[in-house]
Amino acid sequence: MPRISNLFFKAAIIFLIVGIGIGLHMSISQNHNVIGAHAHINLLGWVTSALFGGYYALNPAKAERRLAFIHFGVYTTGVVLMAVSLYFLLQGVTALEPVVALSSLIVFAGVLIFAWTVFSRDTETVTRKASLA
Ligand code: HEM
Ligand code: HEM
């Protein structure tokens, strides 16, 4: 597995453990006020990070690019910041609202980097075509 896929899966499983931990705490306490943090840690953290890891595993040439590591750094920083700030915002710490907004934009920037990668040409395919010509 490419190193970047491994990194995404390591981050993803940590998000899943934290996300499920919050889900269990909500269920046991019967207080669902942090539902938004639970949903987004699981969906942005676990599901989306694992999808990114899977994409890079299927595209080894793109997995070696420096941009893949920038994507990981930006996206994961955004989700960690969003997870912590959203959790405490939903617990009533309203001063954290700007941090939630900023972290959402960082997550979005990570997604745009990934979009660039998806639409960019696969250098391995280009090289293979050139060597066949
Ligand atoms: C053992 C694991 C889990 C437990 C105990 C748990 C618990 C909960 C609880 C108590 C709620 C609030 C329900 C409500 O107030 O309507 C909830 C909502 C939610 N959970 Fe989980 N959860 C778990 C795993 C997951 C996973 C793995 C995901 C995603 C991959 C997920 C996604 C969601 C979403 C999206 C919502 C919001 C649903 C809505 O808006 O109605 N949960 N969960
Ligand atoms: C930076 C990216 C995102 C932002 C800023 C965002 C923002 C929001 C907001 C403002 C809500 C309404 C919360 C409420 O009414 O209390 C929401 C709900 C929801 N979002 Fe997102 N979202 C993002 C990404 C995603 C992604 C990628 C998914 C799925 C893969 C997702 C799934 C959901 C679900 C299932 C709900 C309903 C559960 C809840 O009430 O928290 N979101 N989101």
Side-chain angles (χ1 to χ4, degrees), residues 67-113:
L67 193 62
F69 293 87
I70 296 172
H71 169 214
F72 175 79
V74 172
Y75 184 79
T76 309
T77 302
V79 178
V80 169
L81 210 56
M82 187 174 166
V84 175
S85 59
L86 184 58
Y87 180 86
F88 287 106
L89 174 68
L90 295 175
Q91 293 278 27
V93 188
T94 51
L96 283 171
E97 204 170 329
V99 184
V100 175
L102 177 71
S103 59
S104 304
L105 294 175
I106 298 173
V107 168
F108 188 44
V111 168
L112 292 180
I113 296 171

Side-chain angles (χ1 to χ4, degrees), residues 16 20 23-24 26-27 32 35 38-39 42-43 46-47:
L16 182 60
I20 288 185
L24 289 171
M26 280 197 300
S27 307
H32 296 183
I35 182 171
H38 165 77
N42 277 319
L43 294 172
W46 160 242
V47 179

Side-chain angles (χ1 to χ4, degrees), residues 29-41:
S29 65
Q30 295 190 358
N31 178 356
H32 296 183
N33 61 345
V34 291
I35 182 171
H38 165 77
H40 290 91
I41 290 170

